[in-house]
Amino acid sequence: MQEPVFYQLSITHAIVLLVGFYGLTFLLSLLIGKKRENVDSYMVSNNAVGFGLAAASMIATWIWAASFYASATSGFKYGLSGPIHYGFWGALMILFIYPFGRRFRALAPKAHTLAEVIHARHGSSSQLIMAVSNLIGSCISLMVNFTAAGALVAVLTPLTFIQGVLIAGVGVLSYTLWSGFRASVITDFVQLIAMIIAAVVIIPIIFVNAGGTDMLMANMSNLSAQQQDFFSSTAILEQGAPYFVAVLAYAIGNQTIAQRLFAVREDLIKPTFLTATIGYGAVVIGLGMLGMLALFVGLQPADGNMNNIIPQMASQYLPPIGIVLFFVLVIGSLSSTADSDLSALSAIMMTDIYGKNIAKGRVNPQRMLWWGRMTMVVATLAGVIFASLRLDILVMLVFVGALWGAIVFPVIISFYWGKITNRAFTTSVIAAVVLFTIARFEILPLTGIVAVFFEISASIGAGVVLGLMTFAFFNRHLAIAVGVLVAIGAMPYAIGALRDYPVLLSSLTAYGVSAVICTIMSWRSKENFDFDTLAQKVTSFQSTTSELKGKQSVSENPRDTSRNQTNADGSVTSASPTTPAPGASRA
């Protein structure tokens, strides 16, 4: 067994790097700051972000700290196919989600959050489910990134875990607080450039210093038969399939993705998502190769902790300057996702809590900004506290993943089928979460008729996932046919076998149960929702022109923000028939 030796930067070098990184990022955010901030710009940059910034921000946000550790762990555990089962499926989901994103954006071009559109489509209870799931998910993501920062600092510098968490929290908050989403997008671009440069340099150096192709050929015997098999069934059932299901839910349920969807120019959605697909896949699969190399060289993770694989590989096979680049690479990745989480949380609080439920049609821009900025401060404080407690992150991540899996079908179908009702939406999501919890934590023994019930539900869930993916690019008839055939075809293989894989079983159950209940409850509904009304219900909160000039303006275009009326007290009341006029929504 090799003795793990971690190379550590000196405390002076560590502080210079951290202060320099966050200091430069802060100065960059000052360049785009505005004396009088616009609330729509603060949340979604007035829906006008260009291709380069949008694609870079999408990639940087999708690559978070967990991508490093989980991708390397996958390569270490499952061998040749491991990195593919992490990076490829994550990239593929970006590709499959963009057709639905274009639909959301076309129906509500001025939206700020997906929950806001759900409110206009269904009402407050459905919006509450979306908003709460987004809030919980973003808080956990923030905590995970702060935890990763503390762990990295503790391993590679003389600073402590708590000091690392505090520095990351203060650093991210400092450059995100003033300009919100706009700062997040700009800094994402710079951070992604740094990450790509670092990855392009680091991975080849480690490969060469570890022995290159000669080492791979000589150490192939270190891999088991399953690890040498590129089509390993173990890798597919334990890593590929559960992750494949989870990231589809992540793409729909995470506000950081929705926020970028509503921020990019509408005609640039397709190239942005296609570029993000390629960029994310290349970087994350490359990082997963480090875990596979660790397997080849016979590395043993320090203290049995898989999160130590990458730091150990960096310590053993990189020169000091390479360690510095690696440090910047990880700090950049976790900071880009953490600032996106802060921006997402502030947008949810500004739009779905203050705008919809507190202001009730009388939005004061300054007060709205105060809500957004205070949300960032409180969220950072909570993230630092929970990160310092080192809670069981995996349990919470699994729960949030299930919640998002339960909402995928109701959310997507709500924007295509006018018969979906608010009651069907909420009932199906709640039932799916309850049954997921029973299966995932094995509250009931997964044996006999109980196991068969969940395996049938999971088979239907597999059909729902493949059906939705088909529906992304083809018509609904083909999607339904694919879904039904997959569900029926999966049952003979799932019954009696899937009970041994509770993570996959429970995740697919969430999809299957929500789809069945939502469909049955809506089938005989007399509702026929007019989707054209969404654009009138979901409008901007503040006209840029009226904000700058401080006076009213009225546009002939019903979707234009200038229909909003500035009141004497500085609040803004929408002139649209339903948003944010009291009682105008379907709630």
Side-chain angles (χ1 to χ4, degrees):
M1 176 182 298
Q2 300 178 13
E3 287 295 330
V5 178
F6 290 104
Y7 174 90
Q8 285 199 325
L9 304 170
S10 69
I11 192 167
T12 303
H13 288 161
I15 291 176
V16 168
L17 281 173
L18 289 168
V19 173
F21 178 85
Y22 287 119
L24 290 174
T25 311
F26 174 71
L27 292 176
L28 181 63
S29 70
L30 291 182
L31 296 177
I32 58 173
K34 294 182 178 179
K35 188 176 181 181
R36 299 191 65 182
E37 187 63 77
N38 178 290
V39 295
D40 300 305
S41 175
Y42 192 82
M43 288 190 280
V44 289
S45 292
N46 289 315
N47 318 103
V49 177
F51 165 72
L53 288 177
S57 183
M58 184 74 74
I59 297 170
T61 300
W62 201 263
I63 300 173
W64 62 326
S67 298
F68 284 77
Y69 302 115
S71 182
T73 299
S74 184
F76 187 80
K77 290 178 65 176
Y78 302 112
L80 299 181
S81 64
I84 302 296
H85 282 305
Y86 193 93
F88 179 74
W89 297 125
L92 198 62
M93 281 306 102
I94 303 176
L95 177 66
F96 274 94
I97 208 63
Y98 95 81
F100 299 124
R102 293 177 71 181
R103 172 72 173 174
F104 302 157
R105 182 67 183 275
L107 292 174
K110 296 295 184 183
H112 308 81
T113 70
L114 195 54
E116 179 187 19
V117 190
I118 287 293
H119 181 275
R121 170 67 178 87
H122 286 307
S124 57
S125 59
S126 299
Q127 179 212 21
L128 186 62
I129 288 176
M130 281 294 299
V132 169
S133 68
N134 288 159
L135 285 171
I136 294 174
S138 293
C139 285
I140 291 177
S141 175
L142 192 64
M143 180 179 64
V144 169
N145 282 287
F146 288 163
T147 300
L152 181 74
V153 168
V155 167
L156 294 181
T157 79
L159 297 172
T160 65
F161 174 86
I162 298 298
Q163 289 170 330
V165 170
L166 286 172
I167 291 172
V170 173
V172 171
L173 180 64
S174 66
Y175 69 80
T176 313
L177 183 66
W178 188 249
S179 300
F181 178 77
R182 198 169 58 253
S184 174
V185 170
I186 295 294
T187 55
D188 280 350
F189 182 82
V190 178
Q191 289 161 353
L192 179 66
I193 298 297
M195 282 192 285
I196 290 176
I197 293 174
V200 168
V201 173
I202 287 172
I203 295 173
I205 291 178
I206 292 179
F207 177 72
V208 171
N209 289 345
T213 54
D214 292 339
M215 180 276 295
L216 295 180
M217 299 301 295
N219 294 349
M220 184 63 78
S221 59
N222 287 346
L223 278 64
S224 66
Q226 282 287 327
Q227 289 170 332
Q228 293 182 29
D229 185 0
F230 195 76
F231 301 98
S232 165
S233 59
T234 301
I236 293 173
L237 290 172
E238 293 184 359
Q239 172 65 40
Y243 185 65
F244 175 79
V245 173
V247 292
L248 177 59
Y250 187 91
I252 285 291
N254 194 296
Q255 165 63 13
T256 60
I257 304 300
Q259 198 168 17
R260 279 150 184 78
L261 168 69
F262 293 123
V264 66
R265 268 176 39 198
E266 193 169 351
D267 60 315
L268 297 176
I269 291 176
K270 182 177 180 179
T272 296
F273 275 69
L274 291 178
T275 304
T277 299
I278 297 171
Y280 171 86
V283 174
V284 175
I285 290 174
L287 292 169
M289 293 297 176
L290 295 180
M292 192 184 70
L293 287 176
L295 178 64
F296 271 92
V297 300
L299 179 142
Q300 296 298 321
D303 301 325
N305 188 346
M306 295 291 183
N307 291 342
N308 287 328
I309 292 174
I310 287 187
Q312 280 181 252
M313 290 294 287
S315 293
Q316 293 185 20
Y317 297 108
L318 284 177
I321 185 63
I323 302 288
V324 171
L325 286 174
F326 168 76
F327 192 76
V328 173
L329 172 68
V330 180
I331 291 295
S333 72
L334 65 89
S335 297
S336 64
T337 308
D339 64 44
S340 300
D341 289 326
L342 289 180
S343 299
L345 286 165
S346 67
I348 294 169
M349 291 299 292
M350 292 168 71
T351 300
D352 298 309
I353 304 301
Y354 171 75
K356 294 293 182 184
N357 296 289
I358 296 178
K360 295 186 182 299
R362 294 177 61 84
V363 174
N364 184 310
Q366 294 306 313
R367 194 168 299 164
M368 196 174 205
L369 282 172
W370 180 87
W371 270 86
R373 287 171 174 149
M374 286 306 299
T375 298
M376 289 190 182
V377 174
V378 173
T380 301
L381 182 61
V384 168
I385 292 174
F386 285 118
S388 64
L389 296 177
R390 305 193 191 198
L391 299 177
D392 191 339
I393 296 169
L394 182 60
V395 172
M396 288 179 283
L397 282 176
V398 168
F399 181 79
V400 172
L403 182 60
W404 286 345
I407 66 175
V408 170
F409 181 87
V411 167
I412 291 178
I413 299 305
S414 289
F415 294 104
Y416 291 89
W417 193 20
K419 293 170 70 69
I420 300 290
T421 64
N422 187 36
R423 178 174 296 182
F425 187 104
T426 53
T427 303
S428 62
V429 172
I430 292 171
V433 172
V434 169
L435 289 174
F436 160 83
T437 305
I438 293 173
R440 178 61 185 89
F441 300 105
E442 301 186 45
I443 296 174
L444 294 177
L446 295 177
T447 58
I449 190 66
V450 173
V452 172
F453 167 77
F454 281 107
E455 286 164 344
I456 291 175
S457 299
S459 299
I460 297 173
V464 171
V465 171
L466 272 295
L468 288 174
M469 292 176 65
T470 305
F471 186 48
F473 295 101
F474 301 98
N475 62 56
R476 63 185 173 90
H477 300 292
L478 181 59
I480 292 173
V482 169
V484 171
L485 289 175
V486 169
I488 294 174
M491 287 183 190
Y493 300 96
I495 296 175
L498 207 54
R499 65 192 67 179
D500 296 330
Y501 301 92
V503 175
L504 180 59
L505 176 73
S506 55
S507 298
L508 288 174
T509 294
Y511 279 90
V513 170
S514 63
V516 169
I517 294 178
C518 188
T519 302
I520 290 175
M521 291 186 65
S522 302
W523 192 263
R524 301 185 63 181
S525 164
K526 295 181 180 179
E527 181 168 320
N528 186 20
F529 184 79
D530 182 3
F531 292 105
D532 291 338
T533 62
L534 284 176
Q536 299 171 3
K537 295 177 179 180
V538 182
T539 62
S540 298
F541 288 104
Q542 183 180 12
S543 165
T544 302
T545 302
S546 64
E547 170 66 4
L548 293 175
K549 296 182 178 179
K551 61 183 182 180
Q552 298 180 21
S553 61
V554 177
S555 168
E556 295 180 356
N557 183 354
R559 299 181 183 182
D560 197 292
T561 62
S562 56
R563 280 178 62 91
N564 297 341
Q565 186 174 4
T566 304
N567 304 307
D569 62 355
S571 65
V572 178
T573 303
S574 171
S576 68
T578 55
T579 301
S585 79
R586 300 180 66 83

